[in-house]
Amino acid sequence: MDTTGPLTLLGIESSCDDTAAALVRGVPGRAEVLSNEVVSQAQLHAQFGGVVPEIAARAHAERLDGVVRDALEAAGEGLNAVDAIAVTAGPGLIGGVMSGVMCAKGISAATGLPLVGVNHLAGHALTPRLTDGVAYPYLMLLVSGGHCQFLIAHGTDRFQRLGGTIDDAPGEAFDKVARLLGLAQPGGPSVEAAARGGTAERFSLPRPLRDRADCNLSFSGLKTAVLRARDLLVAEQGGLYERDRRDLCAAFQAAVTDVFVAKTRRALEAYLALDPDEPVLAVAGGVAANMALRAALEELCAAEGVRLVAPPLRLCTDNAAMIAYAGLERFAAGHTDDPTLQARPRWPLDPTPAPLLGGGKKGAKA
Ligand code: KG4
Ligand code: ZN
């Protein structure tokens, strides 16, 4: 078929704890979201303090049909308007990924529509092209509860990983710090709120890996340092005061921000060496909502003459519009998958560097 004109892709996402379907229409670099349905499983997992893979897989399998129907209805379209079906084929919790892949294969078999397997991380990484039409190459910082990496996006299927976390994702660290201090989940927004008016200088927390000449990050030691500081205060005072929580949150947030600024500076060096026409740093993921981090990155980008692009949160957190869009780019480039398409628990975007080990609450990190 002709893939040069506008294309309509149905996207399906089920790699973690969100069951999602969406319709996207357009061409690479200029597409619009016709619908974007997300059903969260947060309630189902809340009592377990993390995502339970078996519960997630079952819930995806039960909900996918309805979510796909909702996405078509919200767009006011039928399957006859769809050119191809894009589905997350990894990385992620394997049961959930399989549910999505089976659903997509079923629709493809019933309708004859082409199938396009998409890497979930490519979905996140290509979102700035969907929302802002950003041109290749751009630098991407993924920061969420499950991901943390710097990537240079050179093309639809060409990503260069500059570095990432060697242990926890930053969102996990925010969530754990909130738990340590008795603040509400998700931890990011409550730590950010508590940090307002706090005195960061009261505690001297480590800046893990900051001065190392690479783009890798680490958050687990920082979280332990907060635990120690808390325990010391409790031992000295018999408990924590409001002021202590504010200061500890401010100190933690300042340490995270410091490390990100240093590592982003390094990543920008590698990226700017490519001499891009319109340099862009795109940030995506729940942690990118943090205003302290965002302000620090704005300042750094302004100093380096780089445009900072931050897609709206609903397209930064897990969703199927990003999968439909990544599928659109792949399909437009002539890529389709046959019915043997496999679900993959791990699938690094850049196969060159050794994959980092470490699975967080959100499952496997690539
Ligand atoms: O991208 P996301 O919604 O979900 C996945 O990880 O898939 O990211 C969620 C994470 C949570 O860990 C949450 O605590 C964190 O993003 N987060 C924040 C803020 N808002 C959400 N972290 C720091 N500051 C925030 N304002
Ligand atoms: Zn994700």
Side-chain angles (χ1 to χ4, degrees):
M1 77 168 274
D2 175 22
T3 55
T4 52
L7 296 165
T8 304
L9 271 279
L10 166 66
I12 296 175
E13 155 65 34
S14 57
S15 65
C16 189
D17 58 350
D18 292 305
T19 313
L23 242 67
V24 165
R25 179 173 293 157
V27 295
R30 213 177 61 249
E32 62 170 325
V33 178
L34 302 182
S35 66
N36 187 22
E37 299 291 313
V38 183
V39 178
S40 165
Q41 299 179 1
Q43 295 284 349
L44 291 178
H45 304 286
Q47 59 175 308
F48 303 104
V51 178
V52 184
E54 291 75 15
I55 295 178
R58 180 177 292 251
H60 285 306
E62 282 168 1
R63 294 171 179 186
L64 273 162
D65 282 7
V67 174
V68 168
R69 209 171 298 126
D70 289 349
L72 288 166
E73 205 173 291
E77 298 286 6
L79 278 170
N80 55 343
V82 173
D83 293 303
I85 305 160
V87 61
T88 300
L93 299 173
I94 192 65
V97 179
M98 282 171 67
S99 303
V101 168
M102 295 299 286
C103 174
K105 282 183 185 176
I107 301 173
S108 167
T111 56
L113 287 171
L115 188 64
V116 186
V118 168
N119 182 310
H120 175 87
L121 295 165
H124 281 302
L126 294 179
T127 301
R129 288 181 48 77
L130 168 63
T131 57
D132 293 80
V134 168
Y136 295 120
Y138 56 92
L139 178 64
M140 182 80 212
L141 169 58
L142 290 180
V143 274
S144 73
H147 320 296
C148 178
Q149 49 186 314
F150 288 103
L151 295 164
I152 298 178
H154 292 277
T156 304
D157 279 318
R158 221 150 54 79
F159 300 96
Q160 180 186 351
R161 188 181 192 281
L162 300 176
T165 183
I166 60 164
D167 41 54
D168 297 345
E172 277 179 278
F174 271 95
D175 294 344
K176 283 179 190 165
V177 163
R179 217 166 287 137
L180 287 176
L181 300 178
L183 300 171
Q185 294 294 321
S190 27
V191 169
E192 179 170 10
R196 244 168 253 136
T199 307
E201 297 73 30
R202 182 171 155 208
F203 299 96
S204 111
L205 297 178
R207 268 60 176 161
L209 306 188
R210 183 186 55 186
D211 301 321
R212 279 246 288 261
D214 60 25
C215 294
N216 286 336
L217 304 104
S218 161
F219 297 99
S220 130
L222 189 52
K223 167 196 77 195
T224 311
V226 174
L227 169 71
R228 293 231 175 81
R230 179 203 70 174
D231 288 350
L232 208 64
L233 284 172
V234 172
E236 280 169 2
Q237 315 173 153
L240 280 188
Y241 294 100
E242 205 44 51
R243 162 106 251 139
D244 302 328
R245 283 200 183 85
R246 278 214 297 273
D247 295 347
L248 265 174
C249 285
F252 169 75
Q253 189 170 268
V256 170
T257 303
D258 254 17
V259 172
F260 268 115
V261 167
K263 294 299 176 171
T264 306
R265 190 175 284 124
R266 286 194 199 289
L268 278 172
E269 260 170 42
Y271 165 63
L272 291 173
L274 300 173
D275 204 14
D277 287 343
E278 294 167 23
V280 166
L281 166 67
V283 287
V287 182
N290 188 282
M291 291 316 289
L293 177 62
R294 213 179 257 221
L297 293 178
E298 287 277 9
E299 198 179 317
L300 174 64
C301 283
E304 301 280 345
V306 171
R307 182 176 149 221
L308 182 69
V309 169
L313 210 57
R314 83 199 143 76
L315 292 175
C316 281
T317 55
D318 286 352
N319 68 86
M322 69 180 191
I323 302 303
Y325 178 73
L328 189 153
E329 284 215 8
R330 297 199 91 193
F331 187 58
H335 178 101
T336 56
D337 286 285
D338 64 35
T340 61
L341 174 68
Q342 294 285 324
R344 302 168 64 170
R346 282 188 180 271
W347 184 0
L349 270 183
D350 178 355
T352 345
L356 291 168
L357 295 177
K361 73 173 165 63
K362 293 282 189 171
K365 291 189 246 314

